[in-house]
Short mmCIF file of all heavy atoms in Angstrom, two decimals:
data_model
loop_
_atom_site.label_atom_id
_atom_site.label_comp_id
_atom_site.label_asym_id
_atom_site.label_seq_id
_atom_site.Cartn_x
_atom_site.Cartn_y
_atom_site.Cartn_z
N PRO A 87 122.70 71.71 26.99
CA PRO A 87 124.03 71.77 26.37
C PRO A 87 124.71 73.13 26.50
O PRO A 87 125.95 73.23 26.55
CB PRO A 87 123.78 71.41 24.89
CG PRO A 87 122.33 71.53 24.72
CD PRO A 87 121.67 71.35 26.04
N ALA A 88 123.90 74.20 26.58
CA ALA A 88 124.51 75.53 26.79
C ALA A 88 125.29 75.55 28.10
O ALA A 88 126.35 76.12 28.21
CB ALA A 88 123.45 76.64 26.78
N VAL A 89 124.74 74.85 29.11
CA VAL A 89 125.42 74.78 30.39
C VAL A 89 126.58 73.76 30.34
O VAL A 89 127.75 74.11 30.64
CB VAL A 89 124.44 74.36 31.51
CG1 VAL A 89 125.20 74.08 32.83
CG2 VAL A 89 123.32 75.37 31.71
N GLU A 90 126.25 72.54 29.88
CA GLU A 90 127.25 71.50 29.96
C GLU A 90 128.44 71.64 28.97
O GLU A 90 129.55 71.28 29.29
CB GLU A 90 126.57 70.12 29.74
CG GLU A 90 125.64 69.76 30.89
CD GLU A 90 124.91 68.49 30.67
OE1 GLU A 90 124.89 67.98 29.51
OE2 GLU A 90 124.35 67.96 31.63
N LYS A 91 128.14 72.09 27.74
CA LYS A 91 129.21 72.15 26.74
C LYS A 91 129.95 73.48 26.73
O LYS A 91 131.05 73.54 26.12
CB LYS A 91 128.60 71.92 25.37
CG LYS A 91 128.00 70.55 25.19
CD LYS A 91 127.89 70.15 23.78
CE LYS A 91 127.44 68.72 23.71
NZ LYS A 91 127.05 68.32 22.39
N TYR A 92 129.35 74.53 27.28
CA TYR A 92 130.05 75.81 27.19
C TYR A 92 130.39 76.42 28.57
O TYR A 92 131.55 76.72 28.80
CB TYR A 92 129.19 76.81 26.40
CG TYR A 92 129.01 76.33 24.97
CD1 TYR A 92 127.90 75.61 24.54
CD2 TYR A 92 130.05 76.54 24.04
CE1 TYR A 92 127.78 75.13 23.25
CE2 TYR A 92 129.97 76.04 22.72
CZ TYR A 92 128.82 75.34 22.33
OH TYR A 92 128.74 74.86 21.10
N LEU A 93 129.43 76.51 29.49
CA LEU A 93 129.75 77.16 30.76
C LEU A 93 130.53 76.24 31.64
O LEU A 93 131.45 76.71 32.38
CB LEU A 93 128.47 77.66 31.43
CG LEU A 93 127.69 78.71 30.63
CD1 LEU A 93 126.47 79.15 31.34
CD2 LEU A 93 128.56 79.91 30.34
N ARG A 94 130.27 74.96 31.65
CA ARG A 94 130.98 74.04 32.50
C ARG A 94 132.48 74.06 32.26
O ARG A 94 133.24 74.35 33.20
CB ARG A 94 130.40 72.59 32.39
CG ARG A 94 131.00 71.59 33.30
CD ARG A 94 130.34 70.23 33.14
NE ARG A 94 130.93 69.23 34.00
CZ ARG A 94 132.01 68.55 33.73
NH1 ARG A 94 132.67 68.76 32.57
NH2 ARG A 94 132.52 67.73 34.62
N PRO A 95 132.94 73.83 31.05
CA PRO A 95 134.42 73.88 30.86
C PRO A 95 134.96 75.27 31.13
O PRO A 95 136.14 75.38 31.58
CB PRO A 95 134.61 73.49 29.38
CG PRO A 95 133.26 73.45 28.73
CD PRO A 95 132.22 73.38 29.80
N PHE A 96 134.22 76.28 30.90
CA PHE A 96 134.68 77.66 31.14
C PHE A 96 134.90 77.91 32.63
O PHE A 96 135.80 78.68 33.04
CB PHE A 96 133.63 78.63 30.58
CG PHE A 96 134.04 80.10 30.65
CD1 PHE A 96 134.96 80.60 29.80
CD2 PHE A 96 133.42 80.94 31.58
CE1 PHE A 96 135.34 81.95 29.88
CE2 PHE A 96 133.76 82.25 31.62
CZ PHE A 96 134.73 82.76 30.76
N LEU A 97 134.08 77.23 33.48
CA LEU A 97 134.07 77.56 34.88
C LEU A 97 134.76 76.55 35.79
O LEU A 97 135.05 76.88 36.95
CB LEU A 97 132.61 77.71 35.36
CG LEU A 97 131.90 78.94 34.74
CD1 LEU A 97 130.41 78.90 35.18
CD2 LEU A 97 132.50 80.24 35.23
N LEU A 98 134.98 75.34 35.29
CA LEU A 98 135.60 74.30 36.21
C LEU A 98 136.87 74.82 36.82
O LEU A 98 137.70 75.40 36.18
CB LEU A 98 135.83 73.04 35.38
CG LEU A 98 134.64 72.09 35.18
CD1 LEU A 98 135.10 70.78 34.48
CD2 LEU A 98 133.90 71.78 36.43
N ASN A 99 136.93 74.59 38.11
CA ASN A 99 138.12 74.95 38.91
C ASN A 99 138.25 76.43 39.26
O ASN A 99 139.14 76.82 39.95
CB ASN A 99 139.42 74.44 38.27
CG ASN A 99 140.42 74.09 39.32
OD1 ASN A 99 140.04 73.61 40.40
ND2 ASN A 99 141.72 74.37 39.06
N LYS A 100 137.27 77.26 38.75
CA LYS A 100 137.28 78.67 39.18
C LYS A 100 136.72 78.73 40.61
O LYS A 100 135.98 77.79 41.03
CB LYS A 100 136.39 79.53 38.29
CG LYS A 100 137.01 79.79 36.91
CD LYS A 100 136.37 81.03 36.27
CE LYS A 100 137.15 81.58 35.13
NZ LYS A 100 137.09 80.85 33.91
N THR A 101 137.06 79.79 41.36
CA THR A 101 136.48 79.88 42.69
C THR A 101 135.06 80.42 42.56
O THR A 101 134.68 81.09 41.64
CB THR A 101 137.32 80.84 43.58
OG1 THR A 101 137.30 82.10 43.01
CG2 THR A 101 138.76 80.33 43.71
N THR A 102 134.26 80.08 43.59
CA THR A 102 132.84 80.44 43.54
C THR A 102 132.55 81.83 44.15
O THR A 102 131.43 82.25 44.15
CB THR A 102 132.01 79.43 44.37
OG1 THR A 102 132.42 79.50 45.70
CG2 THR A 102 132.12 78.03 43.85
N ASP A 103 133.60 82.48 44.66
CA ASP A 103 133.34 83.62 45.49
C ASP A 103 133.13 84.96 44.76
O ASP A 103 132.67 85.92 45.28
CB ASP A 103 134.48 83.85 46.49
CG ASP A 103 135.83 83.97 45.88
OD1 ASP A 103 136.01 83.45 44.70
OD2 ASP A 103 136.74 84.55 46.48
N ARG A 104 133.37 84.96 43.39
CA ARG A 104 133.26 86.23 42.66
C ARG A 104 132.08 86.15 41.70
O ARG A 104 132.26 85.94 40.47
CB ARG A 104 134.59 86.46 41.90
CG ARG A 104 135.74 86.61 42.84
CD ARG A 104 137.02 86.95 42.12
NE ARG A 104 138.08 87.06 43.14
CZ ARG A 104 139.23 87.63 42.98
NH1 ARG A 104 139.48 88.22 41.82
NH2 ARG A 104 140.13 87.65 43.92
N ILE A 105 130.93 86.34 42.23
CA ILE A 105 129.67 86.09 41.45
C ILE A 105 129.61 87.08 40.29
O ILE A 105 129.34 86.71 39.12
CB ILE A 105 128.43 86.19 42.32
CG1 ILE A 105 128.48 85.18 43.47
CG2 ILE A 105 127.20 85.97 41.48
CD1 ILE A 105 127.31 85.18 44.41
N GLU A 106 129.79 88.37 40.56
CA GLU A 106 129.70 89.35 39.49
C GLU A 106 130.69 89.13 38.40
O GLU A 106 130.38 89.19 37.22
CB GLU A 106 129.76 90.76 40.12
CG GLU A 106 129.64 91.91 39.14
CD GLU A 106 128.23 92.07 38.52
OE1 GLU A 106 127.30 91.43 39.06
OE2 GLU A 106 128.13 92.76 37.53
N ASP A 107 131.94 88.82 38.83
CA ASP A 107 132.96 88.58 37.84
C ASP A 107 132.66 87.38 36.96
O ASP A 107 132.83 87.37 35.76
CB ASP A 107 134.33 88.36 38.61
CG ASP A 107 135.43 88.14 37.68
OD1 ASP A 107 135.83 89.12 36.95
OD2 ASP A 107 135.97 87.02 37.59
N ILE A 108 132.12 86.33 37.60
CA ILE A 108 131.78 85.13 36.82
C ILE A 108 130.61 85.49 35.87
O ILE A 108 130.60 85.06 34.67
CB ILE A 108 131.38 83.96 37.78
CG1 ILE A 108 132.67 83.46 38.36
CG2 ILE A 108 130.62 82.88 37.03
CD1 ILE A 108 132.48 82.18 39.21
N TRP A 109 129.62 86.22 36.38
CA TRP A 109 128.47 86.60 35.49
C TRP A 109 128.99 87.36 34.26
O TRP A 109 128.66 87.02 33.17
CB TRP A 109 127.48 87.46 36.28
CG TRP A 109 126.18 87.54 35.54
CD1 TRP A 109 125.09 86.73 35.74
CD2 TRP A 109 125.82 88.46 34.47
NE1 TRP A 109 124.10 87.12 34.86
CE2 TRP A 109 124.53 88.18 34.08
CE3 TRP A 109 126.50 89.47 33.83
CZ2 TRP A 109 123.85 88.85 33.04
CZ3 TRP A 109 125.90 90.17 32.76
CH2 TRP A 109 124.55 89.84 32.43
N GLN A 110 129.85 88.35 34.53
CA GLN A 110 130.30 89.19 33.36
C GLN A 110 131.16 88.37 32.44
O GLN A 110 131.04 88.54 31.21
CB GLN A 110 131.10 90.39 33.89
CG GLN A 110 130.33 91.36 34.78
CD GLN A 110 129.21 92.15 34.06
OE1 GLN A 110 129.14 92.11 32.81
NE2 GLN A 110 128.37 92.84 34.77
N SER A 111 131.98 87.48 32.96
CA SER A 111 132.89 86.76 32.03
C SER A 111 132.12 85.72 31.27
O SER A 111 132.39 85.48 30.07
CB SER A 111 134.11 86.18 32.76
OG SER A 111 133.69 85.43 33.85
N CYS A 112 131.11 85.07 31.86
CA CYS A 112 130.28 84.12 31.09
C CYS A 112 129.48 84.82 30.06
O CYS A 112 129.38 84.36 28.89
CB CYS A 112 129.29 83.35 32.05
SG CYS A 112 130.06 82.21 33.17
N TYR A 113 128.95 85.99 30.42
CA TYR A 113 128.10 86.80 29.50
C TYR A 113 128.91 87.12 28.27
O TYR A 113 128.41 87.10 27.16
CB TYR A 113 127.71 88.05 30.29
CG TYR A 113 126.81 89.06 29.55
CD1 TYR A 113 125.51 88.72 29.20
CD2 TYR A 113 127.29 90.35 29.30
CE1 TYR A 113 124.68 89.65 28.62
CE2 TYR A 113 126.49 91.27 28.66
CZ TYR A 113 125.16 90.91 28.34
OH TYR A 113 124.36 91.88 27.73
N ASP A 114 130.16 87.48 28.51
CA ASP A 114 130.98 87.91 27.39
C ASP A 114 131.53 86.74 26.59
O ASP A 114 131.91 86.90 25.42
CB ASP A 114 132.12 88.74 27.96
CG ASP A 114 132.75 89.59 26.88
OD1 ASP A 114 131.96 90.36 26.24
OD2 ASP A 114 133.96 89.49 26.63
N SER A 115 131.58 85.54 27.13
CA SER A 115 132.31 84.45 26.50
C SER A 115 131.65 83.95 25.23
O SER A 115 132.21 83.21 24.46
CB SER A 115 132.58 83.31 27.49
OG SER A 115 131.42 82.58 27.67
N SER A 116 130.33 84.28 25.07
CA SER A 116 129.70 83.83 23.81
C SER A 116 129.78 84.97 22.70
O SER A 116 129.36 84.76 21.60
CB SER A 116 128.23 83.52 24.08
OG SER A 116 127.54 84.65 24.50
N TYR A 117 130.32 86.08 23.08
CA TYR A 117 130.36 87.27 22.22
C TYR A 117 128.97 87.78 21.86
O TYR A 117 128.64 88.83 22.25
CB TYR A 117 131.24 87.02 20.95
CG TYR A 117 131.45 88.28 20.10
CD1 TYR A 117 131.78 89.48 20.74
CD2 TYR A 117 131.26 88.27 18.74
CE1 TYR A 117 131.96 90.65 19.99
CE2 TYR A 117 131.45 89.42 18.01
CZ TYR A 117 131.78 90.61 18.62
OH TYR A 117 131.91 91.75 17.87
N TRP A 118 128.14 86.97 21.17
CA TRP A 118 126.74 87.37 21.01
C TRP A 118 125.96 86.99 22.22
O TRP A 118 126.20 85.92 22.83
CB TRP A 118 126.16 86.67 19.73
CG TRP A 118 126.56 87.40 18.52
CD1 TRP A 118 125.94 88.54 18.02
CD2 TRP A 118 127.66 87.15 17.60
NE1 TRP A 118 126.60 88.98 16.91
CE2 TRP A 118 127.63 88.17 16.63
CE3 TRP A 118 128.66 86.19 17.57
CZ2 TRP A 118 128.54 88.19 15.56
CZ3 TRP A 118 129.60 86.23 16.48
CH2 TRP A 118 129.52 87.22 15.56
N LYS A 119 125.06 87.80 22.65
CA LYS A 119 124.46 87.64 23.97
C LYS A 119 123.03 88.11 24.02
O LYS A 119 122.48 88.52 22.98
CB LYS A 119 125.30 88.34 25.02
CG LYS A 119 125.68 89.78 24.64
CD LYS A 119 126.68 90.40 25.57
CE LYS A 119 128.06 89.80 25.46
NZ LYS A 119 129.05 90.69 24.79
N ASN A 120 122.43 87.96 25.20
CA ASN A 120 121.06 88.44 25.45
C ASN A 120 119.94 87.63 24.80
O ASN A 120 118.84 88.11 24.53
CB ASN A 120 120.84 89.92 25.08
CG ASN A 120 121.70 90.85 25.91
OD1 ASN A 120 121.76 90.64 27.12
ND2 ASN A 120 122.27 91.86 25.33
N GLY A 121 120.25 86.37 24.51
CA GLY A 121 119.20 85.47 23.99
C GLY A 121 118.63 84.66 25.11
O GLY A 121 119.29 84.50 26.15
N PRO A 122 117.44 84.08 24.92
CA PRO A 122 116.83 83.33 26.06
C PRO A 122 117.56 82.08 26.47
O PRO A 122 117.63 81.79 27.67
CB PRO A 122 115.43 82.96 25.52
CG PRO A 122 115.53 83.18 24.04
CD PRO A 122 116.59 84.22 23.79
N VAL A 123 118.16 81.32 25.55
CA VAL A 123 118.87 80.12 25.93
C VAL A 123 120.09 80.43 26.78
O VAL A 123 120.28 79.91 27.86
CB VAL A 123 119.28 79.25 24.71
CG1 VAL A 123 120.12 78.08 25.10
CG2 VAL A 123 118.05 78.79 23.93
N LEU A 124 120.93 81.31 26.27
CA LEU A 124 122.16 81.63 27.02
C LEU A 124 121.87 82.37 28.32
O LEU A 124 122.50 82.13 29.31
CB LEU A 124 123.09 82.47 26.13
CG LEU A 124 123.57 81.79 24.83
CD1 LEU A 124 124.59 82.68 24.12
CD2 LEU A 124 124.15 80.43 25.14
N ASN A 125 120.85 83.23 28.29
CA ASN A 125 120.53 83.92 29.57
C ASN A 125 120.05 82.97 30.64
O ASN A 125 120.34 83.10 31.80
CB ASN A 125 119.44 85.02 29.33
CG ASN A 125 120.08 86.26 28.81
OD1 ASN A 125 121.26 86.38 28.54
ND2 ASN A 125 119.28 87.34 28.71
N ASN A 126 119.23 81.99 30.21
CA ASN A 126 118.79 80.97 31.22
C ASN A 126 119.98 80.15 31.73
O ASN A 126 120.01 79.87 32.96
CB ASN A 126 117.74 80.05 30.60
CG ASN A 126 116.34 80.67 30.85
OD1 ASN A 126 115.82 80.63 31.95
ND2 ASN A 126 115.71 81.22 29.81
N ALA A 127 120.85 79.74 30.86
CA ALA A 127 122.03 79.05 31.31
C ALA A 127 122.84 79.82 32.31
O ALA A 127 123.24 79.32 33.40
CB ALA A 127 122.89 78.66 30.11
N LEU A 128 123.00 81.13 32.02
CA LEU A 128 123.68 82.04 32.88
C LEU A 128 123.01 82.23 34.22
O LEU A 128 123.62 82.27 35.30
CB LEU A 128 123.79 83.40 32.12
CG LEU A 128 124.73 84.47 32.63
CD1 LEU A 128 126.07 83.95 33.02
CD2 LEU A 128 124.85 85.53 31.53
N SER A 129 121.66 82.28 34.16
CA SER A 129 120.87 82.39 35.39
C SER A 129 121.15 81.17 36.28
O SER A 129 121.26 81.32 37.53
CB SER A 129 119.39 82.51 35.05
OG SER A 129 118.60 82.28 36.16
N GLY A 130 121.17 79.99 35.68
CA GLY A 130 121.40 78.80 36.47
C GLY A 130 122.70 78.92 37.25
O GLY A 130 122.76 78.57 38.45
N ILE A 131 123.72 79.40 36.58
CA ILE A 131 125.04 79.53 37.25
C ILE A 131 124.96 80.60 38.29
O ILE A 131 125.39 80.48 39.46
CB ILE A 131 126.13 79.91 36.16
CG1 ILE A 131 126.28 78.84 35.06
CG2 ILE A 131 127.44 80.26 36.84
CD1 ILE A 131 126.78 77.51 35.53
#
Side-chain angles (χ1 to χ4, degrees):
V89 173
E90 289 177 346
K91 295 200 173 169
Y92 296 97
L93 297 180
R94 183 177 180 276
F96 185 73
L97 293 173
L98 279 185
N99 212 34
K100 287 202 164 74
T101 62
T102 60
D103 57 337
R104 300 186 179 196
I105 301 179
E106 180 67 15
D107 181 68
I108 286 185
W109 194 94
Q110 297 292 350
S111 52
C112 289
Y113 180 67
D114 199 55
S115 78
S116 62
Y117 185 46
W118 278 280
K119 46 190 71 107
N120 294 319
V123 173
L124 298 186
N125 277 6
N126 269 288
L128 191 46
S129 164
I131 300 293

